Amino acid sequence: MSEPMSESMSEPSSEPWSGPASGPWSGPASGPWSGPASEPTTEPLYVPALPARPSALAAYDGLAPDVRAVVAPLWTVPPRFGRERTPTCPPPRPLDPDPAALGRHAHRALDLVARVQRDRPAWVDTCHVEREPGFPGLGAVRPPLRPVTGVERDPAQQLACAETARAGGTGLGVRVRPNTREGKAEALHRLLERIAFARCPVDLLLDLGAVDEDRGADRTALHALNLLGPLHPWRTVVLLAGAFPRTGPEAYGAPLAETYRADRLLPELLRHTGGASGPRPVHGDYGAHDPAGADRVSDTGDDPFRGALRYTAEQTFLIGEVPAETGHHLTVRALAREIVSSPSFRGARYSEGDRWLQACADGGGLPGTGHPDLWILAGHSQHLTHVARELRRHS
């Protein structure tokens, strides 16, 4: 089993993906996912916040053209070294012991994002690497990519972000977490005054983090929109919330578990929000990750062997954890078979992730059961496809 994308983004030989149109998602030139991406004619319908790792990059790169046309990701460059970071509380001192490796890590991530975007806009958040020695600077976020700042960032970073946006002409994103102390209106007002010299379009990226049925995500979202929306003539307003749980549900089944999709509540809210006072908010989530997925070095956290198969049904998430034990391929195939036999399964032609699940379920033996990077890649693929098409259907 190959190592997940962690401490060396510049070593493609062990990655599950090496660039656009290659890797496990490549297929016949005449297949249903071939051809160039469609160019969007309007603002996106869906903004997934994804880590700039090969798993998520390959999933996005393999989306069907009709899906890519309405999806604009918010990419976060993950940390190269250490444990999970807290985005709103940066460490008091640099943590990465190797500035040269950090520089290669950041350059590699930004280059891969630019390649998969194919001249289409997306946001890039460098919060986990921009304070480290070796970071190449926000000037490495080149058009059409849009740099991201936030109210908790150092004023020097905010100014550098605005200067990059002014030079590139693409605008910038302001990522605000409404549940934090720094997310208040006065802090955002001060940031907007500080970057006003750039005279560029600004996007509001409201990040609610994890939501469930009992936490009143709709009330939090409405409060944040009412408080922060009038502060600026935003080009785009994005509401990020959700999605997959961080740990297996308590009602763990054998072998598959279900958990309610609280993220489904917000698109309905968005359809009845906005109007004359500003743009209608765009729906966003974290793909097939939990909200902290981009804050960790690898897709699987501290244990590179642990992983799970994930599937997005209409009302629930289907989740099957794969224990780190001998014979885990038997568990993987059992989980895949249960997913594809579920009424929620949409068929192998729906997405590349669905196709992989069907092939895994139909196979035998160890080859074809993959590893944690490939499982999360499949999860991202089917999730992004399903959410984007559902949003398009209801828009």
Side-chain angles (χ1 to χ4, degrees):
M1 182 178 298
S2 62
E3 289 292 316
M5 204 327 254
S6 57
E7 299 173 355
S8 181
M9 211 169 206
S10 59
E11 297 295 334
S13 61
S14 64
E15 307 293 0
W17 176 77
S18 57
S22 64
W25 284 164
S26 60
S30 60
W33 302 282
S34 62
S38 299
E39 291 298 320
T41 57
T42 61
E43 286 298 302
L45 293 178
Y46 177 34
V47 177
L50 301 170
R53 294 193 197 102
S55 53
L57 288 159
Y60 174 76
D61 189 52
L63 293 176
D66 69 304
V67 177
R68 285 180 61 106
V70 298
V71 176
L74 164 57
W75 297 104
T76 298
V77 179
R80 189 197 73 90
F81 176 85
R83 295 185 177 274
E84 182 175 315
R85 310 290 175 89
T86 303
T88 56
C89 298
R93 55 184 174 78
L95 299 178
D96 198 305
D98 190 337
L102 184 281
R104 292 192 297 271
H105 169 81
H107 270 300
R108 172 73 168 163
L110 295 173
D111 287 348
L112 288 176
V113 169
R115 287 168 62 190
V116 301
Q117 287 302 135
R118 304 177 194 170
D119 297 323
R120 296 183 65 241
W123 296 271
V124 178
D125 193 342
T126 59
C127 60
H128 296 310
V129 296
E130 63 196 18
R131 290 164 55 92
E132 300 281 350
F135 177 61
L138 287 171
V141 181
R142 299 185 179 90
L145 303 180
R146 304 166 179 175
V148 172
T149 189
V151 295
E152 77 286 348
R153 308 289 178 89
D154 187 278
Q157 190 275 350
Q158 297 170 354
L159 292 171
C161 186
E163 186 58 51
T164 298
R166 179 171 69 173
T170 57
L172 60 86
V174 177
R175 193 170 188 174
V176 179
R177 293 168 173 84
N179 292 326
T180 64
R181 175 178 57 82
E182 296 86 354
K184 295 180 180 178
E186 55 266 30
L188 180 55
H189 181 71
R190 289 194 299 270
L191 184 154
L192 290 169
E193 286 187 327
R194 188 172 291 128
I195 66 175
F197 73 91
R199 299 182 180 275
C200 65
V202 181
D203 309 299
L204 178 61
L205 311 173
L206 285 172
D207 191 345
L208 271 64
V211 298
D212 58 33
E213 293 178 82
D214 303 321
R215 292 187 181 177
D218 53 347
R219 294 189 298 274
T220 301
L222 284 173
H223 176 72
L225 291 169
N226 291 334
L227 183 67
L228 305 180
L231 295 182
H232 189 79
W234 309 103
R235 172 176 56 186
T236 305
V237 175
V238 179
L239 189 60
L240 294 157
F244 277 84
R246 180 161 186 158
T247 59
E250 291 184 5
Y252 188 72
L256 210 60
E258 286 187 305
T259 183
Y260 181 71
R261 283 187 60 197
D263 65 303
R264 293 185 70 256
L265 303 174
L266 293 176
E268 182 65 24
L269 168 71
L270 299 179
R271 284 192 285 272
H272 299 90
T273 305
S277 60
R280 176 172 293 178
V282 178
H283 177 66
D285 60 23
Y286 311 93
H289 267 305
D290 64 274
D295 305 330
R296 301 188 287 265
V297 169
S298 75
D299 281 324
T300 52
D302 293 332
D303 184 353
F305 197 76
R306 179 183 173 278
L309 267 61
R310 303 163 174 87
Y311 199 77
T312 304
E314 294 297 326
Q315 304 286 338
T316 61
F317 295 123
L318 308 180
I319 305 170
E321 293 197 62
V322 181
E325 60 187 22
T326 303
H328 72 279
H329 64 284
L330 299 175
T331 301
V332 174
R333 290 213 190 276
L335 292 169
R337 288 172 185 137
E338 186 162 351
I339 289 172
V340 302
S341 64
S342 164
S344 301
F345 185 63
R346 292 176 286 271
R349 292 183 62 84
Y350 190 79
S351 76
E352 294 280 22
D354 290 271
R355 185 174 75 171
W356 180 84
L357 282 165
Q358 184 72 68
C360 181
D362 292 344
L366 181 59
T369 56
H371 49 84
D373 288 349
L374 192 54
W375 306 334
I376 191 66
L377 197 166
H380 282 314
S381 174
Q382 57 81 30
H383 178 85
L384 299 180
T385 299
H386 179 61
V387 173
R389 286 180 173 163
E390 283 293 285
L391 290 169
R392 171 175 265 174
R393 186 164 64 90
H394 291 293
S395 64

